[in-house]
Amino acid sequence: MADLIKVTINGNVYETEKGARLIDVCREHGHAVPSFCYYSDLALQASCRMCLVRIEKMPKLQTSCTITCTDGMIVTTESEEIEKAQRAMVEFLLANHPLDCPVCDRGGECELQEMVFDWGGLEERFSERKNYAPEKFLSPMVANDPQRCILCKRCTRVCDEWMGEDAIEAGGRGAHTVIGTYDGWLNCSECGNCIEVCPTGTLLDATYRHQARPWELAQTITTCTFCSDGCQLSLGARVGEVMRAVARDRYVDGINGEFLCIKGRFAHPFINHEERIRTPLIRYKQGGRLVPATWDDAIGYTAARMRAIGEAHGADAFGIIGSPRLTNEANYALLKFAREVIGTENFTASDAFSLAPCFENLSAPLATHRDIRFAKTIILVGGEPEELQPLTGKQIRQAVRNGGARLVIFNSVPIRLKEQAAQFIHINPGTEDAVVLALAGANDDELAAGKLGVEAKTLADVRRALDETQGDCVLLFGSELSAAAMATLAQLPQLLGAREGRRFLLHPLPFYNNSVGAHDIGLMNAKLSVAQLLDQAGQGLRALYIAGSLLPEHLRGREETLRQLDLIVVQELFETETTALADVVFPAASFAETDGTFTNNAGQVQRVRQSIPPVHQARPDWMITAALASALNADFGFQLSASAVFREIAEHIAAYEGLRYPLLKDESRPVQAKHALAGARDMTGAIQEIRARIQSMNVTSARPTETPKVGHELFKPGTLTSKTPQFPLLYAGNPKPPTVLVSPLYQITVDANLRATTVAAGD
Amino acid sequence: MSIISDVIESTKAIIKGMGVTFSYIPKEKWTVEYPDEPVTVQPRYRGQHLLHVDEHGREKCVACFLCAAACPSDCIYIIAADDPRSPEERIGVDERYAKVYNIDYGRCIFCGFCVEACPKDAITHGYNFELSVYNRADLLKTKDDLLITKQKQSPNYRVAFADEDVDSEYKEV
């Protein structure tokens, strides 16, 4: 416990921790101090001058956002003098601010509007002409109205400190200062965090531009469906249409604060997209067309076909494939369907790689994103979190920049995070396993260093850094590790031994929103992997029941064999390469239309809530599975309630024991699943395996020397993200349009090969 | 009682009643012969709403939703849309306009809050009062019914002049 000091605010004496910021202490104790530029997670600015307070023995009024409390400080936050100063400040801020609240998208949730309600005058005394600048676009995602800016510089600080991009900056001087970009066009990761923190309507979401007013939207707190970080966001919906996704403090307070990446913030239009599958579809004849059908027909048809196949070929003729994109409830229903209705162990999930070796040997807790932010040493083996897990990337960046953490990166690609790294170790492609071998002990340094293409001394340095760490040490690893290496890394905390003052934490970097959940439910540690299961097609396997779509790497080259199957049932949102093979397609509900839970890469089980009723005839995945089970005379007893499914999960899955929906209600206190910690295991076998694997490795030392382009993964138009028209534009290189006054969407067309062509505005 | 007194009493009552009737014959008539004659409405009369346009014919409404927010009976429904064209070509005066603007006259209570809330003077109450329809669904009026350039004005009303004493003819009664 830090030292306590006494501070007097408005005559009341409060005890507070030494080093606390005055504005926080005032607000904590209910003394409202207004401010625009203060943002607790960012560097100090003190440019809005709204948080003025009188401190005894200090000349003039002081900005409370820059003052650190000292013992015996006597502070006044409310007096005639202070109010006069604050009212004058608001008047100055409004001197150049246009009165266009009716057209402004921020109107109704604008901090300036709220401040003017409290501190503004009734009349405007400035009669001079206001600075005028036309509204324009900074990028396909960010719209900008420069005259609404009050120069709090939250956007520039966020861009620099959170994203490390410095894409947006203030230029000019005095009354002519404007927030702008280099070259007049925003070439960044388009996270939109500048939009989120803007207290006025200066920076606006271009995808939600002029769509609705905030008070018309029903905000629903839910979990993002894109990467494995599980950011909490709030979906704004109106009459069955999701209009926007925000993480603003006033709507949601999750693990990510106000942070979201481009996908979380802008990739929601797929939910109400016109290409969503509307009704169940049946392909009655091999090679025929998918014909719309009613739910009763589709379920009945599927059940009859399944029954026939079961009678002819037995239970093991079925394969059931869940998805790391679905809720835990949906995956659990599939598992239950496989075991209880079909009676087979042929189930798996269509994830890119399995985390089973990590969780089986887990010897340290999983690091939450907060742990990463305050870690002392961070080791990143492979992966590219700033593109694939943006929140983890941001936390690592802040841990280094604001927390002084030591970041060591092992990667074959010079990823962007290397700017923050104390040590970037450029290794040969495909040799990530050797890193684990080197971290586990010094015996194999010669071999590891040789294959990695680095000096043995470098590896010794990293081990010494691990030894000397005081505080948290987070080990992050990407998809590149082999199963044995993943197991060894998970055991590393045991291998290195416990020491006072040092805590090891693990943080896997899977690709999908519920990769960890799919593992926890038990789909990933099944007897067969997806590839093995699909390879049985045409031999033992006669029917497949797939939720979601198969990954391209699993599907490619297997289309012909899969076409020979008797029955393929697919639950999907859109028509994909997988539904092209299907005999029956069920329209599934997206994450915005269903209740459930996702488990993120920190093991936190977070709620997914229904924001809009399912579009068209879609149904939540677990309901489809339950309906199919009931057509096969098996009652799951879920009775249309996702919470009943989750209760059953909690009863059957040890890591989720005792969890219930009410316990997961508060998004600001996420609940971590209790993954069992394995004690020290004998890893010599695994290490031997890695050693053999490395020895036989034929290393080419052609390492990419160029840092990959921003957004090479983030902007990739996938099944869901391509439904936002801006994504193909960004992936085509985000070209600057002829005029920035009109959205680039109207000026540039992108063809199927993602080549951009400029067309005249207005065409 | 005899039959004679009955007749006398009845005759008295008829004379008294007809007296009232006949006394009105020479007085000025105030019955409005609607629909043969137009009804005189006050300038501040709250009839069917009008959506206004500016001098270039652009809709004044910027779809700020304040009318819908102020409406106590929740009868205004708006869908806003972005109009990226140049100011001269736009549908409305600003970049945002109301793609859909519906008022449900089955719910409207003609309180005038929407008019008070409008920051752009885009919506006012007009004078059309003949809102009866044969089908309840027809009570939902769209932009085609509400725009001042499109709304057909009834020939059955005249608006009183500002100094005209409209109320007094009723007060005498």
Side-chain angles (χ1 to χ4, degrees), chain A residues 327-329 594-598 606-610 642 661:
Chain A
T327 57
N328 288 325
E329 285 73 3
T594 175
D595 279 309
T597 51
F598 286 154
Q606 303 188 103
R607 276 300 309 277
V608 177
R609 293 183 180 84
Q610 190 185 44
Y661 274 5

Side-chain angles (χ1 to χ4, degrees), chain A residues 518-751:
Chain A
H519 167 268
D520 290 345
I521 294 297
L523 286 176
M524 288 307 289
N525 42 12
K527 71 176 196 213
L528 295 172
S529 72
V530 192
Q532 287 166 331
L533 184 64
L534 292 178
D535 281 339
Q536 289 193 359
Q539 298 162 22
L541 195 69
R542 306 302 312 168
L544 270 181
Y545 178 17
I546 306 169
S549 278
L550 296 173
L551 294 176
E553 65 243 47
H554 295 141
L555 189 62
R556 296 270 153 77
R558 291 198 177 91
E559 287 96 338
E560 280 314 309
T561 45
L562 287 179
R563 225 167 250 136
Q564 290 162 10
L565 289 181
D566 294 342
L567 179 70
I568 299 182
V569 182
V570 178
Q571 294 168 194
E572 245 299 354
L573 304 178
F574 293 98
E575 298 205 7
T576 62
E577 288 175 9
T578 311
T579 60
L581 301 170
D583 296 291
V584 182
V585 180
F586 292 119
S590 73
F591 82 115
E593 301 146 47
T594 175
D595 279 309
T597 51
F598 286 154
T599 310
N600 71 358
N601 53 18
Q604 286 157 337
V605 188
Q606 303 188 103
R607 276 300 309 277
V608 177
R609 293 183 180 84
Q610 190 185 44
S611 165
I612 54 169
V615 297
H616 307 299
Q617 290 188 26
R619 285 189 193 175
D621 290 275
W622 64 265
M623 266 189 212
I624 302 174
T625 312
L628 205 50
S630 105
L632 291 165
N633 302 328
D635 183 14
F636 279 0
F638 295 152
Q639 272 128 19
L640 303 181
S641 149
S643 64
V645 190
F646 190 73
R647 195 180 314 129
E648 208 171 303
I649 294 176
E651 279 160 14
H652 286 85
I653 312 287
Y656 293 61
E657 199 195 333
L659 294 184
R660 294 287 186 274
Y661 274 5
L663 294 173
L664 309 177
K665 197 166 89 177
D666 186 358
E667 82 280 3
S668 60
R669 289 194 196 81
V671 180
Q672 208 169 14
K674 297 179 280 288
H675 288 111
L677 289 189
R681 293 243 169 101
D682 179 23
M683 298 311 288
T684 40
I687 291 176
Q688 199 61 49
E689 196 185 324
I690 304 172
R691 197 178 291 140
R693 192 165 170 266
I694 298 169
Q695 267 161 353
S696 65
M697 206 177 267
N698 203 358
V699 177
T700 53
S701 57
R703 303 173 218 178
T705 48
E706 246 174 70
T707 300
K709 248 177 33 191
V710 177
H712 67 100
E713 284 292 337
L714 279 173
F715 303 161
K716 203 178 260 178
T719 311
L720 302 184
T721 51
S722 62
K723 302 299 183 287
T724 306
Q726 282 89 345
F727 271 76
L729 201 62
L730 291 173
Y731 199 66
N734 191 13
K736 187 180 173 184
T739 169
V740 291
L741 299 180
V742 182
S743 166
L745 277 186
Y746 298 108
Q747 305 180 55
I748 299 169
T749 51
V750 179
D751 63 13

